Amino acid sequence: MAATELRGVVGPGPAAVAAPGGGGAGPPVVGGGGGRGDSGPGPGVASGTVAAASAGGPSAGAGGVAAAGPAPVPPSGGSGGSGAGASGSAREGWLFKWTNYIKGYQRRWFVLSNGLLSYYRSKAEMRHTCRGTINLATANITVEDSCNFIISNGGAQTYHLKASSEVERQRWVTALELAKAKAVKMLAESDESGDEESVSQTDKTELQNTLRTLSSKVEDLSTCNDLIAKHGTALQRSLSELESLKLPAESNEKIKQVNERATLFRITSNAMINACRDFLMLAQTHSKKWQKSLQYERDQRIRLEETLEQLAKQHNHLERAFRGATVLPANTPGSAGSGKDQCCSGKGDVSDEDDENEFFDAPEIITMPENLGHKRTGSNISGASSDISLDEQYKHQLEETKKEKRTRIPYKPNYSLNLWSIMKNCIGKELSKIPMPVNFNEPLSMLQRLTEDLEYHELLDRAAKCENSLEQLCYVAAFTVSSYSTTVFRTSKPFNPLLGETFELDRLEENGYRSLCEQVSHHPPAAAHHAESKNGWTLRQEIKITSKFRGKYLSIMPLGTIHCIFHATGHHYTWKKVTTTVHNIIVGKLWIDQSGEIDIVNHKTGDKCNLKFVPYSYFSRDVARKVTGEVTDPSGKVHFALLGTWDEKMDCFKVQSATGENGGDARQRGHEAEESRVMLWKRNPLPKNAENMYYFSELALTLNAWEGGTAPTDSRLRPDQRLMENGRWDEANAEKQRLEEKQRLSRKKREAEAMKATEDGTPYDPYKALWFERKKDPVTKELTHIYRGEYWECKEKQDWDSCPDIF
């Protein structure tokens, strides 16, 4: 190829260079210095674009250098693409996007930038309207055929795209894969680093140093270019001298090819230097603009924080001034003041969106401010002083436990802490990445909260005695609703269990049941629960907690199926939990609401019960926290209607069927006839002074009481939780930090072992739960952890050798 032809391709920007090798076509590399790139229906290579020859594109020479010609001119209305645009995007250009079966593929302008792929109807529309954006960090890129490819992020968004040619498609796919890799890397680095830091003087200095370094490197490249040009000229002169010699015709042809390649090499080096200079000039031009933009965003954020803090102060002042104003009728026991107004002080915003966030403690190191102390109140009955060891306290509590179940715990210390000051930097992030001190916890773990589902176990005892499966289903439904009654005033967060942590509750003698929970997974966090009763029932579940935090509210979505099996009849019931929403995260009093539907299914008979948890609305005149339900047989006929609230009681009404005037089936609702009403469940009153003890129920007060003989992984032995219960919160925060760091090191050790086993080609067994086994559920066909047994036998023998050291 003549050197003049190559100059038409390269111009002032980078040349088209193929992957090194002996003539094979390498994958395309997307880059460039800002000029227009591939245009028209053919695989053109324009000035300012770095691209390798790919299948179907320009052919590569014998030495691995693409013999590309001048770029073709795009026809009018062609669907060409472009490389890096002037806006700083990684790639932009026209693609055809599938819309529907009527319009088919439509031409759209796509822009790939910062790990996001956005599209517009036209290039001019970029200034004001974006038609859609997909995050490549969580997306899958699939090639269908020569021109078509698919981008999907798991079902929520799917783009079916078509390029004008196979080369164009390959360049887009390569650019997307590179952008995805960078986005995933940035996401991982963001997870490790935690909260973003504002732009500081150090950042600006670092930016200037980077620019100076780039400038120095460009000078080095320029020096290398001069040397290459010098040696290249000498090489060409030597080759010319060889041509003048009388050599065989075949040798002259080879010398001519080498001469052309030397010319191409020199042009390529010139293009590389030009590209580096262009990049440096662009960086210097835009650095000040970027600094101004970042500073503006920082100032805006500070102003917003100040405004929200002022709003919070004004709101608290108004609450104190108008303490008597309530939204709902008072129903708080003890000295809780206005009662339910704290749970419904504003309009409820319920989110039905799904997210991967987790309602668990943060893995980051917790740094407590110096003024985050607490004041001991005169009613604090911890009885613990700094010179008394925890072991001595445990022994003292053990002696009390042997006598009777405890009915009170140390009062919650009186302190003032602004939740917004910690949460304001965490909007839109995973809750697991938010560093939360124990000041926002209650002295119970998530395993103990799961065990609280058994607060009204007597409902299952009654259900086990029912001969009629539909009546039995009514009691199961009431038990399902009763598990939410303990949450009405419980706005504090439970402790996140450590991997391998357990909690047992042995009430076989008093209540006829015993229960075991274990944290079976760390990522994602999951807990398995198994309870069995000598009264004829078994309850088991595996729950994964996810959440969505959006500043104004926090939605908690428990994922997993709950199973209840009755031994005498073999009836097997399953259901899932509803969404819990915590309101007034920014200002006002925190209050909790439950919303969604629960379908309880009897897999043996086909009977079903549909429960509807009505979300609270400020403008609704309906009963707050209302729950309605219907019990139907396999044919869909309604036999019982359920009505009540999830925080008070549930009633059951028998539905009488009668023949209508036209011969149709007219149902007469049971609640129209008061005589058919049966109260299935009513909430037990809270203990005296419950408002000072985290609003714990009678069962909750006993869950963390010291018991002898439990496994060394039991939640009762968790030191940070025990310190918090005894009012020593500063020490609890330090201990919490130690435990999380210990768990982090254990996780890294397992990951290193798994990586080493992969490299060595040896089998590696991943972490397995100790008391539960992961298997397919025979009823739901879901993979879940099912109790494998042996815990209570090990307890009887006091054989805990297999338990890990987690505390």
Side-chain angles (χ1 to χ4, degrees):
M1 176 185 293
T4 54
E5 292 178 322
L6 289 168
R7 291 190 185 97
V9 176
V10 178
V17 182
V29 180
V30 178
R36 288 284 300 177
D38 315 320
S39 302
V45 181
S47 172
T49 304
V50 177
S54 61
S59 60
V65 179
V73 179
S76 176
S79 59
S82 69
S87 61
S89 59
R91 188 171 183 82
E92 59 183 41
W94 291 105
L95 288 172
F96 290 93
K97 179 181 178 295
W98 175 263
T99 54
N100 52 52
Y101 285 99
I102 298 176
K103 296 183 178 181
Y105 283 95
Q106 296 291 317
R107 197 173 74 146
R108 297 289 183 261
W109 182 261
F110 279 80
V111 177
L112 174 60
S113 178
N114 298 324
L116 301 175
L117 180 66
S118 306
Y119 74 92
Y120 312 83
R121 287 187 177 176
S122 64
K123 188 174 182 180
E125 201 179 52
M126 290 174 60
R127 298 182 178 179
H128 52 83
T129 305
C130 178
R131 299 292 174 177
T133 300
I134 191 167
N135 189 346
L136 295 178
T138 57
N140 293 321
I141 304 168
T142 308
V143 177
E144 280 192 312
D145 52 34
S146 60
C147 297
N148 292 34
F149 58 101
I150 300 174
I151 305 175
S152 174
N153 64 354
Q157 290 174 293
T158 302
Y159 294 170
H160 294 263
L161 306 177
K162 179 189 289 187
S164 59
S165 67
E166 184 177 356
V167 174
E168 179 71 9
R169 184 265 298 160
Q170 185 59 40
R171 286 173 178 154
W172 269 104
V173 169
T174 304
L176 291 168
E177 291 288 0
L178 290 173
K180 177 182 177 180
K182 291 180 181 179
V184 171
K185 183 178 180 181
M186 291 176 62
L187 183 62
E189 291 175 353
S190 174
D191 288 345
E192 291 294 330
S193 62
D195 297 338
E196 298 177 359
E197 296 181 356
S198 59
V199 179
S200 63
Q201 188 64 34
T202 305
D203 299 324
K204 296 177 182 178
T205 304
E206 184 179 353
L207 181 60
Q208 295 296 335
N209 292 335
T210 303
L211 290 174
R212 282 194 292 271
T213 304
L214 285 173
S215 179
S216 174
K217 294 299 180 183
V218 169
E219 291 299 327
D220 293 342
L221 287 172
S222 179
T223 303
C224 294
N225 179 64
D226 293 339
L227 292 173
I228 290 172
K230 178 181 177 181
H231 295 307
T233 303
L235 177 61
Q236 285 182 329
R237 186 166 56 250
S238 299
L239 291 172
S240 299
E241 293 174 355
L242 284 174
E243 287 181 359
S244 63
L245 298 177
K246 293 181 180 181
L247 297 173
E250 184 179 352
S251 300
N252 287 332
E253 187 65 26
K254 291 290 183 182
I255 292 173
K256 186 177 180 180
Q257 289 181 5
V258 173
N259 196 3
E260 287 182 355
R261 288 174 185 170
T263 303
L264 179 59
F265 180 72
R266 181 168 54 84
I267 294 173
T268 302
S269 64
N270 285 330
M272 180 179 64
I273 295 297
N274 290 335
C276 292
R277 284 201 175 111
D278 292 343
F279 171 75
L280 179 61
M281 185 179 300
L282 187 65
Q284 290 174 337
T285 303
H286 289 281
S287 63
K288 293 182 179 179
K289 177 182 176 182
W290 295 336
Q291 290 178 14
K292 288 182 180 179
S293 300
L294 289 172
Q295 186 62 35
Y296 173 78
E297 293 296 332
R298 180 172 176 269
D299 294 341
Q300 287 287 88
R301 176 176 172 174
I302 292 174
R303 281 194 290 270
L304 178 61
E305 290 176 0
E306 291 175 350
T307 303
L308 285 172
E309 288 179 1
Q310 291 177 3
L311 177 62
K313 292 177 181 178
Q314 294 173 6
H315 188 92
N316 291 332
H317 175 73
L318 289 173
E319 276 190 342
R320 288 194 297 269
F322 300 96
R323 183 67 67 180
T326 59
V327 176
L328 299 175
N331 194 31
T332 307
S335 58
S338 58
K340 289 187 183 179
D341 63 322
Q342 67 180 322
C343 293
C344 298
S345 58
K347 181 181 177 182
D349 290 339
V350 181
S351 169
D352 294 328
E353 301 173 22
D354 295 328
D355 208 344
E356 295 291 332
N357 299 338
E358 307 164 356
F359 187 58
F360 286 90
D361 295 339
E364 288 92 342
I365 295 176
I366 298 175
T367 303
M368 296 293 297
E370 293 181 0
N371 59 350
L372 203 62
H374 59 270
K375 298 178 180 178
R376 291 286 184 90
T377 60
S379 56
N380 193 323
I381 61 168
S382 65
S385 60
S386 58
D387 57 344
I388 299 178
S389 67
L390 287 176
D391 292 337
E392 291 176 352
Q393 296 175 39
Y394 294 163
K395 292 176 182 178
H396 178 68
Q397 292 173 357
L398 177 58
E399 294 175 358
E400 293 181 348
T401 305
K402 289 180 179 178
K403 299 176 183 176
E404 59 181 7
K405 300 297 181 184
R406 69 177 184 179
T407 58
R408 58 190 306 179
I409 61 174
Y411 283 2
K412 183 178 180 180
N414 181 23
Y415 70 94
S416 177
L417 183 63
N418 185 6
L419 176 62
W420 175 244
S421 65
I422 292 179
M423 304 288 277
K424 63 185 178 183
N425 295 326
C426 307
I427 297 176
K429 295 187 177 182
E430 292 186 6
L431 194 61
S432 62
K433 304 302 178 187
I434 301 177
M436 297 288 280
V438 301
N439 302 55
F440 297 113
N441 285 40
E442 61 181 18
L444 290 178
S445 74
M446 181 60 74
L447 303 181
Q448 291 164 315
R449 286 290 292 266
L450 277 179
T451 307
E452 279 192 74
D453 286 354
L454 300 173
E455 174 92 21
Y456 299 94
H457 62 90
E458 62 271 9
L459 291 171
L460 296 181
D461 295 343
R462 292 183 213 162
K465 298 177 182 178
C466 289
E467 297 180 358
N468 186 307
S469 63
L470 294 170
E471 292 180 3
Q472 186 180 71
L473 184 51
C474 291
Y475 282 106
V476 174
F479 173 79
T480 303
V481 176
S482 70
S483 63
Y484 295 97
S485 64
T486 60
T487 66
V488 61
F489 302 119
R490 302 271 289 278
T491 56
S492 298
K493 177 181 177 296
F495 278 80
N496 171 29
L498 303 172
L499 183 63
E501 185 174 334
T502 61
F503 178 73
E504 68 158 75
L505 185 65
D506 190 352
R507 297 292 173 85
L508 205 57
E509 294 183 3
E510 304 97 314
N511 306 117
Y513 73 88
R514 57 187 181 184
S515 163
L516 176 67
C517 292
E518 181 181 1
Q519 187 75 359
V520 296
S521 174
H522 183 57
H523 287 300
H529 179 206
H530 180 89
E532 54 189 16
S533 171
K534 63 183 181 182
N535 294 324
W537 54 265
T538 297
L539 184 77
R540 60 180 174 86
Q541 58 182 319
E542 180 183 347
I543 297 297
K544 300 179 182 69
I545 302 294
T546 64
S547 64
K548 172 183 283 293
F549 173 55
R550 287 295 178 262
K552 186 177 180 181
Y553 62 88
L554 172 68
S555 291
I556 305 160
M557 290 79 71
L559 305 178
T561 304
I562 305 172
H563 299 255
C564 183
I565 304 100
F566 291 96
H567 305 161
T569 59
H571 292 165
H572 189 139
Y573 297 90
T574 63
W575 66 92
K576 297 179 182 292
K577 290 180 176 287
V578 295
T579 299
T580 300
T581 307
V582 183
H583 294 273
N584 288 351
I585 297 293
I586 299 178
V587 293
K589 292 181 179 179
L590 296 175
W591 61 280
I592 292 177
D593 195 20
Q594 314 287 349
S595 60
E597 295 189 16
I598 295 178
D599 288 318
I600 308 173
V601 181
N602 185 336
H603 292 273
K604 182 178 180 180
T605 64
D607 301 334
K608 294 182 180 179
C609 176
N610 176 259
L611 293 172
K612 295 182 179 179
F613 288 68
V614 182
Y616 172 77
S617 174
Y618 183 83
F619 302 100
S620 175
R621 296 184 179 181
D622 211 342
V623 179
R625 310 183 186 97
K626 182 178 179 181
V627 180
T628 62
E630 291 183 341
V631 176
T632 59
D633 60 21
S635 66
K637 180 181 177 181
V638 179
H639 290 265
F640 293 95
L642 305 177
L643 183 64
T645 58
W646 53 264
D647 66 324
E648 285 294 337
K649 64 175 183 176
M650 285 295 294
D651 293 332
C652 172
F653 304 89
K654 190 171 182 61
V655 175
Q656 304 292 340
S657 297
T659 303
E661 296 179 359
N662 299 325
D665 184 32
R667 291 189 311 199
Q668 179 183 359
R669 293 292 181 181
H671 56 267
E672 296 176 358
E674 186 65 23
E675 60 272 10
S676 67
R677 173 182 173 222
V678 175
M679 180 182 292
L680 298 173
W681 160 76
K682 184 177 181 181
R683 189 188 71 177
N684 296 328
L686 289 176
K688 185 179 180 181
N689 297 322
E691 67 276 6
N692 298 324
M693 299 182 291
Y694 310 90
Y695 287 101
F696 280 179
S697 63
E698 290 184 359
L699 175 63
L701 288 173
T702 66
L703 292 180
N704 207 43
W706 174 266
E707 290 187 12
T710 61
T713 54
D714 197 89
S715 297
R716 298 176 181 90
L717 304 178
R718 181 164 176 166
D720 55 346
Q721 188 172 304
R722 181 67 60 184
L723 286 166
M724 184 204 170
E725 181 182 272
N726 290 330
R728 298 159 64 176
W729 287 17
D730 294 333
E731 298 172 60
N733 276 310
E735 190 63 23
K736 181 172 181 285
Q737 175 182 334
R738 182 190 68 81
L739 291 175
E740 289 174 351
E741 182 62 25
K742 183 176 181 179
Q743 179 174 237
R744 212 164 12 249
L745 292 175
S746 298
R747 174 175 56 83
K748 290 181 179 179
K749 181 180 178 181
R750 287 194 301 271
E751 292 174 351
E753 291 174 351
M755 185 176 297
K756 186 177 185 302
T758 303
E759 293 174 353
D760 297 342
T762 58
Y764 174 76
D765 293 331
Y767 177 84
K768 292 182 180 179
L770 187 58
W771 310 110
F772 289 81
E773 182 180 3
R774 183 174 170 83
K775 61 174 67 174
K776 181 180 287 188
D777 186 88
V779 175
T780 63
K781 308 304 180 184
E782 299 173 342
L783 279 175
T784 185
H785 282 84
I786 299 177
Y787 178 58
R788 71 171 76 206
E790 300 180 4
Y791 177 86
W792 303 107
E793 290 79 6
C794 288
K795 181 182 179 181
E796 185 176 353
K797 301 174 186 177
Q798 285 298 293
D799 179 13
W800 303 119
D801 294 340
S802 57
C803 292
D805 176 21
I806 59 174
F807 299 141

